[in-house]
Amino acid sequence: MIKTKCVHSPIEPKKDGLRILATRFRGRGLFATRYNVWMANLGPSEALLRARQTETISWAEFSRCYRKELFEGGTIDRRNRTIKNHGQKFTLRLLQKLAKRQSVTVMCHCDEGVTHCHRHILQKILNGKI
């Protein structure tokens, strides 16, 4: 099961399962005990995050660009002709497999009630076919 949560919300080990901080920035003063693993690669790029925070782009555009970032290949794809990384595809598939065995909670710094947050997009992606 894939769930989402604010990293500052109360920790519930049995309900949360594996707690993944999916942000580019860990956050000043955030103790590592608040999460099990920090996956900065699953957070939106700094430029995309900044564009959304300054409202330079709409939520729909942010969502589209974030999805594209997760699946775009990098320089490693250019160096490997046969097996392509395609962004975070392998990481996403790993999280899907883990979620079949235990709860996986994707977290970021946004408050619990915020609906326009990349962690919800990530949850939808992980609940789909990759």
Side-chain angles (χ1 to χ4, degrees):
M1 172 185 289
I2 305 284
K3 301 184 324 180
T4 67
K5 197 172 195 178
C6 174
V7 72
H8 303 289
S9 295
I11 298 171
E12 301 172 283
K14 290 184 180 179
K15 287 184 180 180
D16 294 344
L18 180 65
R19 295 169 54 88
I20 298 171
L21 180 62
T23 61
R24 291 285 167 175
F25 302 101
R26 191 175 73 86
R28 184 174 290 158
L30 182 67
F31 294 109
T33 55
R34 302 291 310 161
Y35 54 88
N36 298 112
V37 63
W38 174 28
M39 294 185 162
N41 57 325
L42 294 180
S45 67
E46 294 173 36
L48 184 57
L49 184 61
R50 207 170 295 112
R52 183 61 197 140
Q53 288 173 335
T54 58
E55 297 183 4
T56 307
I57 61 173
S58 68
W59 171 249
E61 173 121 12
F62 172 85
S63 180
R64 192 170 37 259
C65 290
Y66 175 57
R67 287 173 189 269
K68 183 180 174 189
E69 281 184 353
L70 283 175
F71 291 100
E72 74 184 358
T75 57
I76 194 148
D77 282 349
R78 286 192 284 278
R79 295 194 316 264
N80 296 286
R81 291 187 314 162
T82 309
I83 304 296
K84 302 291 186 183
N85 183 39
H86 298 293
Q88 308 308 324
K89 201 179 244 186
F90 294 122
T91 303
L92 297 171
R93 284 184 181 151
L94 172 64
L95 293 177
Q96 282 182 323
K97 293 277 187 188
L98 289 171
K100 288 179 182 177
R101 295 187 175 102
Q102 70 180 61
S103 292
V104 173
T105 302
V106 176
M107 302 181 303
C108 75
H109 298 284
C110 295
D111 289 334
E112 223 35 70
V114 174
T115 55
H116 287 173
C117 174
H118 77 280
R119 71 177 184 242
H120 300 298
I121 298 169
L122 186 54
Q123 180 186 33
K124 286 179 185 172
I125 290 170
L126 290 170
N127 283 327
K129 184 172 171 35
I130 297 173

PDB file of all heavy atoms in Angstrom, residues 49-61:
ATOM      1  N   LEU A  49      10.460  23.054  -8.927  1.00  0.00           N
ATOM      2  CA  LEU A  49       9.929  23.395  -7.610  1.00  0.00           C
ATOM      3  C   LEU A  49       9.845  24.911  -7.432  1.00  0.00           C
ATOM      4  O   LEU A  49       8.835  25.445  -6.989  1.00  0.00           O
ATOM      5  CB  LEU A  49      10.798  22.775  -6.513  1.00  0.00           C
ATOM      6  CG  LEU A  49      10.339  22.963  -5.076  1.00  0.00           C
ATOM      7  CD1 LEU A  49       8.976  22.327  -4.856  1.00  0.00           C
ATOM      8  CD2 LEU A  49      11.352  22.358  -4.123  1.00  0.00           C
ATOM      9  N   ARG A  50      10.886  25.611  -7.828  1.00  0.00           N
ATOM     10  CA  ARG A  50      10.919  27.069  -7.718  1.00  0.00           C
ATOM     11  C   ARG A  50       9.822  27.704  -8.585  1.00  0.00           C
ATOM     12  O   ARG A  50       9.150  28.646  -8.158  1.00  0.00           O
ATOM     13  CB  ARG A  50      12.299  27.591  -8.131  1.00  0.00           C
ATOM     14  CG  ARG A  50      12.658  28.889  -7.482  1.00  0.00           C
ATOM     15  CD  ARG A  50      14.118  29.306  -7.690  1.00  0.00           C
ATOM     16  NE  ARG A  50      15.055  28.386  -7.042  1.00  0.00           N
ATOM     17  CZ  ARG A  50      15.905  27.578  -7.697  1.00  0.00           C
ATOM     18  NH1 ARG A  50      15.957  27.582  -9.012  1.00  0.00           N
ATOM     19  NH2 ARG A  50      16.723  26.787  -7.041  1.00  0.00           N
ATOM     20  N   ALA A  51       9.643  27.173  -9.785  1.00  0.00           N
ATOM     21  CA  ALA A  51       8.616  27.708 -10.692  1.00  0.00           C
ATOM     22  C   ALA A  51       7.222  27.555 -10.083  1.00  0.00           C
ATOM     23  O   ALA A  51       6.378  28.442 -10.203  1.00  0.00           O
ATOM     24  CB  ALA A  51       8.685  27.003 -12.040  1.00  0.00           C
ATOM     25  N   ARG A  52       6.979  26.450  -9.421  1.00  0.00           N
ATOM     26  CA  ARG A  52       5.662  26.234  -8.798  1.00  0.00           C
ATOM     27  C   ARG A  52       5.490  27.114  -7.563  1.00  0.00           C
ATOM     28  O   ARG A  52       4.426  27.688  -7.337  1.00  0.00           O
ATOM     29  CB  ARG A  52       5.481  24.762  -8.423  1.00  0.00           C
ATOM     30  CG  ARG A  52       4.140  24.447  -7.848  1.00  0.00           C
ATOM     31  CD  ARG A  52       3.012  24.749  -8.830  1.00  0.00           C
ATOM     32  NE  ARG A  52       1.736  24.827  -8.108  1.00  0.00           N
ATOM     33  CZ  ARG A  52       0.795  25.706  -8.358  1.00  0.00           C
ATOM     34  NH1 ARG A  52       0.923  26.574  -9.328  1.00  0.00           N
ATOM     35  NH2 ARG A  52      -0.307  25.717  -7.645  1.00  0.00           N
ATOM     36  N   GLN A  53       6.540  27.221  -6.756  1.00  0.00           N
ATOM     37  CA  GLN A  53       6.453  28.027  -5.533  1.00  0.00           C
ATOM     38  C   GLN A  53       6.226  29.494  -5.840  1.00  0.00           C
ATOM     39  O   GLN A  53       5.553  30.183  -5.076  1.00  0.00           O
ATOM     40  CB  GLN A  53       7.719  27.850  -4.692  1.00  0.00           C
ATOM     41  CG  GLN A  53       7.799  26.494  -4.038  1.00  0.00           C
ATOM     42  CD  GLN A  53       9.133  26.258  -3.344  1.00  0.00           C
ATOM     43  OE1 GLN A  53      10.151  26.846  -3.692  1.00  0.00           O
ATOM     44  NE2 GLN A  53       9.131  25.370  -2.359  1.00  0.00           N
ATOM     45  N   THR A  54       6.764  29.971  -6.937  1.00  0.00           N
ATOM     46  CA  THR A  54       6.583  31.371  -7.325  1.00  0.00           C
ATOM     47  C   THR A  54       5.365  31.550  -8.229  1.00  0.00           C
ATOM     48  O   THR A  54       5.121  32.646  -8.725  1.00  0.00           O
ATOM     49  CB  THR A  54       7.830  31.915  -8.046  1.00  0.00           C
ATOM     50  OG1 THR A  54       8.081  31.110  -9.202  1.00  0.00           O
ATOM     51  CG2 THR A  54       9.041  31.916  -7.139  1.00  0.00           C
ATOM     52  N   GLU A  55       4.628  30.460  -8.451  1.00  0.00           N
ATOM     53  CA  GLU A  55       3.428  30.446  -9.281  1.00  0.00           C
ATOM     54  C   GLU A  55       3.704  30.904 -10.714  1.00  0.00           C
ATOM     55  O   GLU A  55       2.846  31.492 -11.378  1.00  0.00           O
ATOM     56  CB  GLU A  55       2.308  31.245  -8.629  1.00  0.00           C
ATOM     57  CG  GLU A  55       1.878  30.634  -7.299  1.00  0.00           C
ATOM     58  CD  GLU A  55       0.715  31.347  -6.659  1.00  0.00           C
ATOM     59  OE1 GLU A  55       0.165  32.288  -7.253  1.00  0.00           O
ATOM     60  OE2 GLU A  55       0.342  30.940  -5.538  1.00  0.00           O
ATOM     61  N   THR A  56       4.916  30.627 -11.194  1.00  0.00           N
ATOM     62  CA  THR A  56       5.275  30.912 -12.577  1.00  0.00           C
ATOM     63  C   THR A  56       4.569  29.942 -13.509  1.00  0.00           C
ATOM     64  O   THR A  56       4.284  30.264 -14.655  1.00  0.00           O
ATOM     65  CB  THR A  56       6.808  30.793 -12.766  1.00  0.00           C
ATOM     66  OG1 THR A  56       7.452  31.609 -11.789  1.00  0.00           O
ATOM     67  CG2 THR A  56       7.256  31.207 -14.146  1.00  0.00           C
ATOM     68  N   ILE A  57       4.286  28.726 -12.999  1.00  0.00           N
ATOM     69  CA  ILE A  57       3.570  27.726 -13.778  1.00  0.00           C
ATOM     70  C   ILE A  57       2.340  27.260 -12.993  1.00  0.00           C
ATOM     71  O   ILE A  57       2.295  27.362 -11.773  1.00  0.00           O
ATOM     72  CB  ILE A  57       4.458  26.508 -14.135  1.00  0.00           C
ATOM     73  CG1 ILE A  57       4.955  25.798 -12.869  1.00  0.00           C
ATOM     74  CG2 ILE A  57       5.602  26.913 -15.034  1.00  0.00           C
ATOM     75  CD1 ILE A  57       5.693  24.507 -13.134  1.00  0.00           C
ATOM     76  N   SER A  58       1.367  26.743 -13.724  1.00  0.00           N
ATOM     77  CA  SER A  58       0.138  26.252 -13.087  1.00  0.00           C
ATOM     78  C   SER A  58       0.383  24.879 -12.476  1.00  0.00           C
ATOM     79  O   SER A  58       1.384  24.224 -12.762  1.00  0.00           O
ATOM     80  CB  SER A  58      -0.982  26.149 -14.133  1.00  0.00           C
ATOM     81  OG  SER A  58      -0.671  25.113 -15.053  1.00  0.00           O
ATOM     82  N   TRP A  59      -0.585  24.425 -11.671  1.00  0.00           N
ATOM     83  CA  TRP A  59      -0.501  23.093 -11.080  1.00  0.00           C
ATOM     84  C   TRP A  59      -0.494  22.026 -12.185  1.00  0.00           C
ATOM     85  O   TRP A  59       0.249  21.059 -12.123  1.00  0.00           O
ATOM     86  CB  TRP A  59      -1.638  22.852 -10.092  1.00  0.00           C
ATOM     87  CG  TRP A  59      -1.680  21.434  -9.641  1.00  0.00           C
ATOM     88  CD1 TRP A  59      -2.633  20.511  -9.944  1.00  0.00           C
ATOM     89  CD2 TRP A  59      -0.707  20.750  -8.844  1.00  0.00           C
ATOM     90  NE1 TRP A  59      -2.316  19.298  -9.373  1.00  0.00           N
ATOM     91  CE2 TRP A  59      -1.130  19.425  -8.688  1.00  0.00           C
ATOM     92  CE3 TRP A  59       0.491  21.137  -8.241  1.00  0.00           C
ATOM     93  CZ2 TRP A  59      -0.426  18.479  -7.972  1.00  0.00           C
ATOM     94  CZ3 TRP A  59       1.206  20.195  -7.516  1.00  0.00           C
ATOM     95  CH2 TRP A  59       0.750  18.885  -7.385  1.00  0.00           C
ATOM     96  N   ALA A  60      -1.319  22.221 -13.207  1.00  0.00           N
ATOM     97  CA  ALA A  60      -1.393  21.251 -14.304  1.00  0.00           C
ATOM     98  C   ALA A  60      -0.046  21.151 -15.022  1.00  0.00           C
ATOM     99  O   ALA A  60       0.415  20.055 -15.334  1.00  0.00           O
ATOM    100  CB  ALA A  60      -2.496  21.646 -15.279  1.00  0.00           C
ATOM    101  N   GLU A  61       0.574  22.280 -15.264  1.00  0.00           N
ATOM    102  CA  GLU A  61       1.890  22.285 -15.930  1.00  0.00           C
ATOM    103  C   GLU A  61       2.951  21.646 -15.031  1.00  0.00           C
ATOM    104  O   GLU A  61       3.785  20.871 -15.485  1.00  0.00           O
ATOM    105  CB  GLU A  61       2.298  23.715 -16.278  1.00  0.00           C
ATOM    106  CG  GLU A  61       3.701  23.789 -16.807  1.00  0.00           C
ATOM    107  CD  GLU A  61       3.781  24.362 -18.198  1.00  0.00           C
ATOM    108  OE1 GLU A  61       2.780  24.903 -18.668  1.00  0.00           O
ATOM    109  OE2 GLU A  61       4.847  24.253 -18.777  1.00  0.00           O
TER     110      GLU A  61
END
